[in-house]
Amino acid sequence: MSAPTITPVVVRLKLSLLRNGLRQSGGRRAAYAASAAVALLFAALQLVGLIALRGTAHVESLVVLLVAVLGLGWAVMPLFFPGGDETLDPTRLVMLPLRPRPLVRALLVASLVGIGPLFTLCLLAGSVIAVAHGGAAFAAGAVAVPLALLVCVALARAVAAANVRLLTSRKGRDLAVLSGLVVAIGAQVVNFAAQRLGSSGLAQLDPAAGVLQWVPPASAVGAVHAVSEGSYGIAAARLAVSAAALVALLGVWSRHLTRLMTAPDGSTLPAARTAARERTSTGLSRLLPAGRTGTVMERSLRYVWRDPKTKAAWVTSLAIGLLVPVFNAWQGTGSVYFACFAAGMLGIQMYNQFGQDTSAFWMVAMTISSARDAYVELRARALALLLITLPYATLVTVVTTAMLGDWPALPEALGLSFALLGAMLATGAWTSARFPYSIPQEGHKNVAPGQAGLAWISILGGMVSAALLCAPVIALAVWANVSADGEAWSWVLLPVGTAYGAVLSVLGLRLAAPRTARRLPEILTAVSKG
């Protein structure tokens, strides 16, 4: 007597997890409904658009590239969003008497339930309709669409199973921080590619599509196009490549499931040894000043590396500070002054310094008994920020200038960047003492409930004040560009901007220090609310 199949049970489990998750709160239900509506609307529009492209020259290159990018998205999303599907973690099933092969089949079917698979199905269907001509091509498409969908799902599952120990660890969860960087880069790449396609047409995609037609899951769509052209042998080969990829991915997935369900988890031992090495390591300490300044600088730098919220803010700032000037210069529409985005985005990290400590700020507050102590604390935090910001802003400015070939404007851009950075350090220190707010450690919110107004006042008010403080340097830069004799003196902006920024930062720290020392109880209460 054969054992009963577990596939229906796992599918019902998937539906129960989804239903119970939506029952937790009305906000979660609303967010899910909104995201589902947007995804389905986009899928429908994409389906209609692909059908409308039917008969367009070189449309096969476009759809092959789209499906290839779709497969790449299925491969990387489990790494960046491991919490998006509770069933992605097979370690929850290791205590059950299940064999890997039936479990693979059941999880594969359960993975087809959701918004992502439905969106993928719409895109694949539209791609096949766009390139299929004749009954034989549509028959091949009836095989290609489910085959490509299964390849995408199996790829995501294999990647998740291979990295499940990493994804469930602290460092693995930090991978989600990179999702902002990937989205930022992807948006700029899509924007640039759309502009290029609008001016040059789809024909320039042919070389890349010729290669990707043999790479699953795009090879399945490429097979439909081959049937439309009467190349039945090539079509069969491409379908065979997709089928072989599916079998290989299922095999990899099954092997990793077997290992997870039979091998002990010793991940905590290496983690403990690593933590011990980090506790005994003094390499960073030896490079920093002695005393309180070095201690505070090391603590701030460790926050950047270890704290997920702080790391996410830094990664986003670093990405935007580089992408805005570089991509605009790449497109030929940029200016060397766009490099100031780097200093501006990183200068924001000076705001709400004490909120980054959350409830642990009480230990810092115990060491501040005077305005002098507060000044040393704020100065050390500013110096830690400058260790990253100064070289990065300089590098972005030089790269942008090199891409534009506008070397005479380099001193002006550097001077403006340094002045802006000094102004943001000054206003950031003051607003940290005047408008502190808590940053919740759990969830995706960066402001505790009831403190959104404080956050807006702190950041927007500080940025406006920083821009006003930079007005003299901006006026000097304008004079250097419009005056007949100004170009010969444009180099003066570099030392003037550097000195001006340094003076502003020192004055801002000295003005913020007494307020910080006086308002320690209020600051501690505000930052501990999360």
Side-chain angles (χ1 to χ4, degrees), residues 168-250:
T168 53
S169 66
R170 180 182 65 84
K171 290 184 178 181
R173 288 191 295 269
D174 289 348
L175 279 175
V177 172
L178 298 178
S179 61
L181 178 60
V182 171
V183 171
I185 295 176
Q188 291 292 338
V189 170
V190 169
N191 180 38
F192 180 70
Q195 293 181 3
R196 292 289 300 273
L197 288 176
S199 59
S200 304
L202 299 177
Q204 62 180 339
L205 298 178
D206 290 347
V211 176
L212 293 174
Q213 284 180 346
W214 294 94
V215 178
S219 56
V221 177
V224 178
H225 173 64
V227 172
S228 299
E229 292 185 333
S231 302
Y232 299 107
I234 295 177
R238 289 173 179 170
L239 286 176
V241 169
S242 297
L246 177 59
V247 173
L249 288 171
L250 293 176

Side-chain angles (χ1 to χ4, degrees), residues 466-477 500:
L468 294 176
L469 289 174
C470 290
V473 181
I474 295 175
L476 182 60
Y500 186 75

Side-chain angles (χ1 to χ4, degrees), residues 300-325:
S300 299
L301 294 174
R302 289 188 183 275
Y303 276 166
V304 174
W305 181 250
R306 292 182 176 181
D307 180 63
K309 290 293 181 71
T310 305
K311 185 186 294 187
W314 272 93
V315 168
T316 303
S317 297
L318 290 169
I320 296 177
L322 176 66
L323 290 176
V324 170

Side-chain angles (χ1 to χ4, degrees), residues 2 19 24 62 96 105 137 156 198 216 223 301 348 385 491:
S2 60
R19 183 174 57 253
Q24 291 182 3
L62 175 63
L96 300 177
R105 289 194 298 268
L301 294 174
I348 293 177
L385 187 143
W491 62 270

Side-chain angles (χ1 to χ4, degrees), residues 332-387:
T333 60
S335 168
V336 68
Y337 301 107
F338 280 8
C340 293
F341 267 94
M345 292 303 301
L346 294 179
I348 293 177
Q349 304 308 313
M350 188 64 190
Y351 292 78
N352 196 34
Q353 278 291 310
F354 307 126
Q356 299 174 11
D357 300 342
T358 63
S359 59
F361 178 70
W362 73 269
M363 292 187 291
V364 177
M366 294 292 291
T367 66
I368 298 177
S369 59
S370 64
R372 174 63 183 174
D373 293 336
Y375 173 74
V376 174
E377 175 75 22
L378 289 170
R379 183 186 63 185
R381 293 178 183 238
L383 289 174
L385 187 143
L386 287 174
L387 281 180

